[in-house]
Each structure stands twice: as structure tokens, then as C-alpha cells.
Amino acid sequence: MPKSAIQSMLPSVAAFLKKRHGQYIAGAWQVDKKAQLIEVKSPATGDVVARIAHACEDDVEAAVIAARQGFEGNEWSKMVPNDRAALLFKLADTLEDKKYELSQIEAIDCGFSMQMMNSIGIKLAADQLRYYAGWVTKLNGETITNSRPREDDHDFLTYTKKEPVGVVAQIIPWNFPLGMAIQKLAPALAAGCTVVMKPAEETPLSALYLASLIDKVGFPKGVFNLLNGYGRKTGAALASHRGVDKVAFTGSTDVGKEIIKASSDSLKKVTLELGGKSPVVIMPDANLSSAIPAAARAIFFLSGQNCMAGSRLFVHADVHDEVVSGLKEIASSLTIGSEFNGDGFAGQFDVGPLISERQVVRVLSYIDIGMAEGATLLTGGKRASIGVGYFVEPTIFTDCTPEMRIVREEIFGPVLTVQKFNTVDVEEVAALANDSIYGLSASVWTCDLAKAHRIANRIKSGQVGINVHAAIDTAVPFGGYKQSGWGREFGREGLEPYLETKAITAYL
Ligand code: NAP
Ligand code: MG
């Protein structure tokens, strides 16, 4: 990295990047000097910005043992709920105190803008920690009316208790690293579980920084452990480890299926947040002045590297041409770039880089497939010619048809497919939206709210927006129908996978 880049960073961030990063196990950093090193690159420049040690088998063992001891020991499980909540509140405050450091780290590691980190990244993470901190004191069971035959005048008292599942392995992807880490961590810690986390090797930096904050906040030893390493080694070792009670995974549908297989031997609890190919449906009476920019944001936010990306756009024939020309205008006017440009933090851009060269190759190959399949390339379609980073132009294909691979498969890049439709029948419109193996998110755009609700009721998806796309909130359950996953995150439902229910019956 050039000196100017290092000088532009907060001194604490520059020092953090220079460190030899190891594993965080049982409340201490383990740095194996002989460990294989993974190079962490900035997607804006391809420059190596840090080097982290790959966890070895012994590290995996040590982390699982630490999490087990953390779970079975008295410090965490016997901590009174108010105190456990206080630690989560304190972590939220600490995260906000370090928002500039974390924002710079994500800008360097992922190409994010500081403004997005401030308004969404840090805010959502702190909100989640506080939301789940609030639940810690409300994990109540219930008393159950019991109809067992009575003996003499004896009665039964039955009540349920909520208990933590135990040691949880959390495996997360690269597209929203800090957000994903907190999204997994907050409900697990609120429930009283202990965690071994494995971030994606492309974006390990914010989780490493988070571990240092967790260390400062003063969680008991072994409550949070962090391992870095490739998924097929470290991730797979965690998914199959007999000392792990539950795996919480976010990533691709293919790896999700691997996780199920690996975890089946010991019948671990598994929750999966997987891929998507989310539909955005614009009806003929939609308010186009809001629908068109929203459809553009739905696909181009995070350069399409967003599991909820509205990558299948359905537009009614009556408004098709107007929508398509509006989208073309927006897509071709978006500024491509990144906050961290290799020299420093430059600011202003609309569409950032893809995470790696591998993703660029993958996305460009889908663009070739779209052309070969006969879709019309409306705009974009090339690697963006700015610097040496991993940038692809915002791309829109029209004249798409349901059987095309670009319509069926998750591309995870800034590539929108547009299909024209003629019907206003709710069943037929819902059938278009439902023609996918995925079911994570969807949105319907119309001024006829009754019709909107009827379509929303028929869409097979964990979330449906009416005149809004991807309306994420910490209190609102989020997760997939069909091959988009198992279970829910966010909200009260996001806690359930980390809790067991115990029923106790007393003969009185
Ligand atoms: P990925 O390749 O499935 O990787 C996700 C994580 O799993 C990474 O930490 C990866 O490690 C690890 N991994 C890979 N192979 C593994 C194995 N055999 N056993 C255990 N762990 C393994 O996904 P990605 O390419 O990083 O992320 C993009 C995908 O995530 C997209 O499909 C997207 O839709 C999905 N996603 C879903 C949601 C949601 O909430 N539904 C949110 C965001 C992203 P390494 O990468 O370090 O090798
Ligand atoms: Mg990966």
C-alpha cells in the first residue's frame, strides 16, 4: 500500500492493519508464528492490506473447548440477566464509540462508503445489540394447564423454561461483514449461548476488530471466540464438530447444503440464511416516480452483492418502456468507485467494487450467458475502466424470459433482469414472482393496496414489501422460504433458534 494511503487512515486503523492477526480463543489472542497466512485485499485496488493467520486444527479444537467451558462454567450461564444485558448494551456503545475505525476498516476491506457505514452499517449493528439486550430479561417460559388424570387430590404443576442451546458455530459471508457478525452474535449472546465465529476469508478485518472490542467490554472468557480460515477447512471442521450444538450459517445455497450434511452426524441444530433471486413487481398503476429509483436501489445497493437484491424485475407492459428508460438513465448516471481508493478516503460514489477478482469473472461470465441466451443488453455489461479494482458496470438486461439462467441463478452482482408481463390477475402475477427456487425477499409496487396485499399473501417469500423493497428492521423477522434458508433472524423469532424449551412437571 502507498504511504499516502496509510497516512490517510486513523493511526489506530493503520496500526491494526499492520498487526499479525491470529485467532481469538478463551479471551486471548493466539498467534501461531508458523501459521499459513491469508492475504486480505482491498477490492478497490487489489492491494494486500493485511495478513491473517489461518486457524489450524488445534485452533478449532481449542476454540470449541473454550466455548464449551465458557458455556458450562458459572460465569456466563449463571450471570443474572440484567448483567448479561448490560454487557450487550456496553458493546453497542463501544461499537458506536469506534464507528470511525470500523467504517474505515470496512471501507478498506469491502469498498464501502463511510456514509453507508454510518447510516446503516454501524447503526443497524448497534440497534441489533440493543434490541437483543432488551430480550435478555424477558426470556420467559409459561405455566401450562395440565390435563393428566388426577390421583386422589394431587395436582400437577407444569411450567416451561427457556434455556440456551449451547455452543454455536457462526459462519458468515463477505458481503456485509460487520452487520452479519452482529446479526448472528446478538441473539446468540442474548440467549446465553457461547460462540465460535468464522468470517469469510475475503473480509475478516471487522470481525477481528470486533473481537478486540468484545475483549475490552469484558465478556467472560470463552463466550466469544473467533477463527479465521478457509470455509472448506475451518468452516467445515466447525460444521462437523461434535462439540458444537448448533450451526448458524449465512452464505450460498450450495454451501448451506454442505453444512446440513456435515452437521447431520451429531444432529446439530442448523439455521441457514441463503441465496435469493428476489422479484420486484411493478403493476400498471404504480407510482413510477418512487418505483423506478427504488427498483434501481434494489439491485445496485452493495453492487448487487446483497442477498435481498431485487434481481428479477417484472414490469407490466403498460409501463414497461417508461420504467426501462428510467432505469437506464439511473444506471448510466451512477458513479462507480469506492471510499478507499488506494491513496486515501475519497468519498462520493454510488456503486462500489465487487469483493474479489473471482466475483468479477463470475459476474462477467453471467453477462456473457445473458447475451448468448438472447436477452437485450440495455446498459452496462463490462468491467468498469477505473483503476485496477474489481468494478463492474451497473448492467440491465431486458427481454428476459423465465427459463434464462440469468433469471434463474443468483448472480450476486449489479445485473438486473427485466421481464415484461401483461396480466393484472393476482394469481398470475404471484406465479411470476414465485417462479424461482428462492424465496427471501420480494416487493410489489401499486397504488391499489387491496390488490397489493392479495399479491403479497400469495408470494412465497420470507419478506414482502408493498411499495418498499427490503424493509429490514431489527424487530422484523427475516429469512427464507424454499431454498433461501431455514429459520429466521431478527425479531423475537431470531432468538428461538438459540433457545431450547424445557417442560418441568411436578406432582404436587
Ligand atoms: P459462501 O461461499 O457460501 O461462504 C459463506 C461462508 O461459508 C464463508 O465464511 C465461507 O468461508 C464459508 N464456507 C465455504 N465453504 C464452506 C464449507 N464447506 N463448510 C463450512 N463453511 C464454508 O458464500 P459467499 O460467497 O461468501 O457469500 C455470498 C452468498 O451468501 C450468496 O449466495 C448470498 O445470497 C448469501 N447471503 C445470504 C444472506 C441471507 O441472509 N440470506 C445474506 C448475505 C449473503 P470462506 O469464504 O472463508 O472460504
Ligand atoms: Mg468466500
Side-chain angles (χ1 to χ4, degrees):
M1 241 188 316
K3 258 198 182 143
S4 56
I6 296 165
Q7 279 162 358
S8 71
M9 294 172 196
L10 292 165
S12 56
V13 170
F16 168 78
L17 293 181
K18 261 174 77 183
K19 262 192 183 163
R20 197 177 176 100
H21 296 283
Q23 323 303 328
Y24 182 70
I25 300 172
W29 290 99
Q30 313 290 340
V31 186
D32 175 0
K33 293 219 168 92
K34 290 193 208 115
Q36 175 196 346
L37 291 181
I38 298 175
E39 292 185 334
V40 182
K41 292 182 179 172
S42 170
T45 62
D47 282 343
V48 175
V49 292
R51 290 182 173 79
I52 56 167
H54 192 298
C56 64
E57 279 173 30
D58 288 349
D59 293 327
V60 175
E61 277 311 308
V64 174
I65 289 170
R68 176 61 57 196
Q69 287 171 347
F71 182 70
E72 304 294 349
N74 286 338
E75 275 193 89
W76 186 236
S77 59
K78 302 284 186 312
M79 185 179 274
V80 295
N82 260 336
D83 293 348
R84 199 158 81 230
L87 283 174
L88 287 172
F89 281 121
K90 197 169 163 195
L91 183 57
D93 293 345
T94 309
L95 211 72
E96 284 178 336
D97 288 347
K98 296 292 178 188
K99 69 179 177 187
Y100 294 114
E101 286 81 351
L102 280 162
S103 299
Q104 282 202 350
I105 287 169
E106 294 292 62
I108 295 165
D109 201 7
C110 319
F112 290 171
S113 74
M114 308 284 276
Q115 190 271 334
M116 190 280 280
M117 279 304 290
N118 244 326
S119 60
I120 304 177
I122 302 288
K123 184 176 181 322
L124 194 60
D127 281 357
Q128 270 170 335
L129 285 165
R130 294 195 179 108
Y131 174 83
Y132 283 109
W135 271 111
V136 177
T137 49
K138 299 164 195 74
L139 301 176
N140 303 323
E142 54 183 349
T143 53
I144 310 275
T145 308
N146 195 320
S147 294
R148 287 175 60 81
R150 277 26 177 181
E151 293 162 29
D152 305 326
D153 60 348
H154 287 279
D155 216 341
F156 291 100
L157 169 66
T158 299
Y159 61 95
T160 59
K161 284 182 70 194
K162 291 290 184 184
E163 296 187 347
V165 161
V167 172
V168 183
Q170 302 191 318
I171 302 172
I172 56 176
W174 44 256
N175 64 325
F176 205 55
L178 179 68
M180 289 291 157
I182 297 291
Q183 186 169 324
K184 293 261 177 286
L185 197 58
L189 296 186
C193 293
T194 57
V195 168
V196 181
M197 182 173 283
K198 194 211 86 66
E201 99 280 356
E202 282 103 339
T203 56
L205 298 181
S206 55
L208 282 160
Y209 196 81
L210 176 67
S212 70
L213 300 185
I214 289 174
D215 195 69
K216 275 199 198 99
V217 164
F219 283 83
K221 274 185 196 164
V223 169
F224 176 76
N225 305 275
L226 182 72
L227 295 176
N228 282 294
Y230 294 110
R232 58 186 182 277
K233 279 192 171 174
T234 314
L238 285 171
S240 63
H241 200 294
R242 287 187 157 259
V244 169
D245 299 304
K246 171 182 162 56
V247 184
F249 171 78
T250 295
S252 59
T253 294
D254 285 347
V255 175
K257 291 175 185 175
E258 293 296 317
I259 299 278
I260 294 171
K261 284 183 209 148
S263 60
S264 69
D265 190 41
S266 58
L267 277 185
K268 293 177 181 55
K269 313 275 183 258
V270 176
T271 41
L272 304 168
E273 296 289 348
L274 307 177
K277 194 78 189 178
S278 297
V280 173
V281 180
I282 301 183
M283 299 294 284
D285 64 343
N287 176 347
L288 297 187
S289 62
S290 51
I292 293 171
R297 274 195 306 278
I299 183 67
F300 298 130
F301 177 63
L302 295 181
S303 310
Q305 302 174 115
N306 168 13
C307 52
M308 304 175 83
S311 49
R312 283 187 301 144
L313 176 63
F314 295 91
V315 190
H316 192 278
D318 289 358
V319 291
H320 177 271
D321 293 353
E322 189 178 346
V323 169
V324 158
S325 86
L327 284 170
K328 182 177 179 181
E329 201 181 313
I330 295 175
S332 46
S333 68
L334 294 172
T335 311
I336 304 171
S338 68
E339 179 89 34
F340 178 74
N341 64 9
D343 283 328
F345 297 87
Q348 296 310 306
F349 68 96
D350 303 303
V351 178
L354 301 189
I355 199 64
S356 60
E357 183 62 30
R358 191 167 65 118
Q359 283 303 108
V360 172
V361 170
R362 180 184 145 86
V363 170
L364 292 178
S365 82
Y366 270 108
I367 292 172
D368 288 344
I369 290 168
M371 311 270 251
E373 285 177 320
T376 305
L377 181 67
L378 182 72
T379 185
K382 297 191 300 295
R383 187 172 194 138
S385 51
I386 56 159
V388 288
Y390 312 135
F391 298 94
V392 171
E393 294 174 343
T395 298
I396 301 176
F397 280 110
T398 55
D399 302 314
C400 296
T401 51
E403 71 290 348
M404 289 179 177
R405 282 184 62 194
I406 55 166
V407 168
R408 306 208 74 76
E409 298 174 19
E410 185 182 48
I411 299 174
F412 224 55
V415 181
L416 178 65
T417 63
V418 186
Q419 297 178 71
K420 193 195 284 188
F421 68 95
N422 283 297
T423 182
V424 289
D425 176 85
V426 292
E427 299 291 349
E428 288 175 7
V429 170
L432 295 171
N434 288 335
D435 186 13
S436 172
I437 60 165
Y438 298 111
L440 192 59
S441 188
S443 60
V444 186
W445 297 79
T446 170
C447 291
D448 180 343
L449 282 186
K451 184 166 267 187
H453 285 282
R454 288 166 67 208
I455 295 171
N457 281 326
R458 286 162 174 78
I459 291 183
K460 294 187 170 71
S461 168
Q463 281 203 336
V464 185
I466 294 176
N467 296 328
V468 61
H469 189 82
I472 280 283
D473 180 81
T474 49
V476 179
F478 166 74
Y481 277 40
K482 300 191 266 183
Q483 294 194 32
S484 286
W486 285 357
R488 292 293 175 271
E489 292 189 325
F490 298 134
R492 162 78 213 195
E493 289 193 42
L495 272 171
E496 290 298 339
Y498 295 100
L499 293 167
E500 294 278 21
T501 301
K502 179 181 282 176
I504 297 176
T505 298
Y507 176 68
L508 301 178

